[in-house]
Amino acid sequence: MANKHIEENNFKLKTKSIAFEIRQNLFTKKDLYKVISALTTSLMDILRTDGIAFKYLDKWHIVGHAPKKICY
């Protein structure tokens, strides 16, 4: 039970850290694509995934191992 609580707290801290980094970078760079691209490794780590896909300006961007066909 204690380990689960520690894992949950670590997840919350990582999530808050990434959210802060996104806000901070958007404030200074104002380019969502560059901000998200720079943080894909951190996002994949926290989501425990091997790939991530995001849509920006009507174009899908795939990083890592993700399906080639995106359904939306």
Side-chain angles (χ1 to χ4, degrees):
M1 188 72 157
N3 285 341
K4 185 173 180 164
H5 184 68
I6 291 170
E7 283 182 36
E8 287 175 359
N9 282 342
N10 285 340
F11 180 80
K12 288 177 185 177
L13 286 173
K14 286 181 183 179
T15 304
K16 286 181 181 182
S17 174
I18 291 172
F20 175 78
E21 217 173 321
I22 289 171
R23 285 192 302 274
Q24 183 179 20
N25 286 333
L26 281 175
F27 183 73
T28 57
K29 296 177 185 168
K30 296 181 177 25
D31 186 338
L32 182 63
Y33 175 75
K34 287 181 182 178
V35 171
I36 297 297
S37 294
L39 295 173
T40 54
T41 303
S42 297
L43 290 169
M44 288 189 300
D45 179 46
I46 197 165
L47 296 171
R48 296 181 181 154
T49 186
D50 294 328
I52 193 167
F54 63 97
K55 190 175 182 181
Y56 180 68
L57 297 177
D58 292 327
K59 182 179 177 190
W60 282 99
H61 304 274
I62 299 171
V63 179
H65 301 288
K68 298 297 177 206
K69 184 176 180 179
I70 307 283
C71 299
Y72 52 95

